[in-house]
Amino acid sequence: MAQELIELFRSVLKEELQPVHERLGRLEEGQQRLEENQLRLEERQQRLEERQQRLEERQQRLEERQQRLEERQQRLEERQQRLEEQQQRLEERQQRWEEKLDNFLIETRSHFKKIEEELAEHRRMFELLSNDWRNAKIDIDYLSAKTGKHDAEIHQIKKRLELQQL
């Protein structure tokens, strides 16, 4: 009887505990799934943190690139400004050179005109001197011919006088 009671007690406990065991099994399965889900969540969390870290690193690199780009742009703007200043100075120099060239051309024209006038005057003087020279040559030729004639006449007179004195 005690054995039957034990068996009965066991059977009742088994029946009463069966839903508890089933529930406990489901709870353990649920706990298992929760732990697996927890692991997956932790893995996802880890991957998200890694992705976030990579994103932060990329953002940092982007910020550094942007900083370098801004510095380059600043240098380019400074170069542009220097080039504009140089261009302004070149334009001013060119303007001065053009003014100097204009003044030089005006002065050269003035000197050229003066030289042309002096050359014309020299030509007139040369023509006058040339005419005077021709006239002097004609006079010299005439006088030379006269001198030759006179020399011949004097020579004849001398010869006559010598003949008369003999």
Side-chain angles (χ1 to χ4, degrees):
M1 188 142 180
Q3 191 68 20
E4 287 176 15
L5 259 165
I6 292 178
E7 280 299 318
L8 183 65
F9 187 64
R10 264 191 200 162
S11 168
V12 170
L13 272 176
K14 191 175 181 185
E15 282 178 29
E16 290 296 320
L17 289 178
Q18 181 66 26
V20 171
H21 280 298
E22 289 174 3
R23 201 168 189 194
L24 184 61
R26 285 192 308 267
L27 281 173
E28 285 177 351
E29 288 174 9
Q31 179 70 27
Q32 182 73 25
R33 282 193 305 264
L34 281 174
E35 287 176 359
E36 290 172 358
N37 286 340
Q38 178 72 27
L39 280 175
R40 282 194 301 269
L41 282 174
E42 287 175 357
E43 289 172 357
R44 288 180 185 168
Q45 175 77 23
Q46 180 67 29
R47 285 193 304 260
L48 282 174
E49 288 175 357
E50 289 171 358
R51 286 181 185 168
Q52 183 176 357
Q53 179 67 28
R54 285 193 305 265
L55 282 174
E56 288 174 356
E57 290 170 358
R58 287 179 185 167
Q59 183 176 355
Q60 179 66 29
R61 285 193 305 265
L62 281 174
E63 288 174 357
E64 290 171 357
R65 285 180 186 166
Q66 182 178 0
Q67 178 67 28
R68 286 193 305 266
L69 282 173
E70 289 174 356
E71 290 171 356
R72 286 180 186 165
Q73 183 173 356
Q74 179 67 30
R75 286 193 303 267
L76 282 174
E77 288 173 356
E78 290 170 357
R79 263 190 213 154
Q80 177 74 24
Q81 185 176 359
R82 285 193 307 269
L83 286 174
E84 287 173 357
E85 291 170 357
Q86 287 176 350
Q87 182 178 0
Q88 179 67 28
R89 286 193 302 272
L90 283 173
E91 288 174 356
E92 291 170 357
R93 286 180 187 164
Q94 182 180 1
Q95 182 66 30
R96 285 195 305 269
W97 275 105
E98 287 175 359
E99 290 173 3
K100 287 179 180 180
L101 183 59
D102 288 344
N103 291 338
F104 178 74
L105 288 174
I106 291 169
E107 188 175 330
T108 303
R109 280 189 209 124
S110 173
H111 286 301
F112 186 71
K113 188 175 181 181
K114 184 177 180 184
I115 289 171
E116 283 181 330
E117 290 170 356
E118 287 179 1
L119 181 60
E121 186 178 325
H122 288 171
R123 281 186 184 150
R124 283 190 300 273
M125 294 284 284
F126 179 74
E127 288 174 8
L128 286 174
L129 288 174
S130 179
N131 287 336
D132 286 351
W133 181 262
R134 267 187 246 123
N135 290 337
K137 189 170 184 335
I138 291 171
D139 289 345
I140 289 171
D141 288 343
Y142 175 76
L143 290 174
S144 182
K146 286 271 190 190
T147 305
K149 191 177 174 183
H150 286 134
D151 284 345
E153 287 176 0
I154 291 173
H155 183 63
Q156 285 176 354
I157 293 174
K158 268 185 171 180
K159 287 283 181 191
R160 280 185 212 157
L161 282 175
E162 283 177 10
L163 285 174
Q164 285 178 355
Q165 284 179 346
L166 280 177

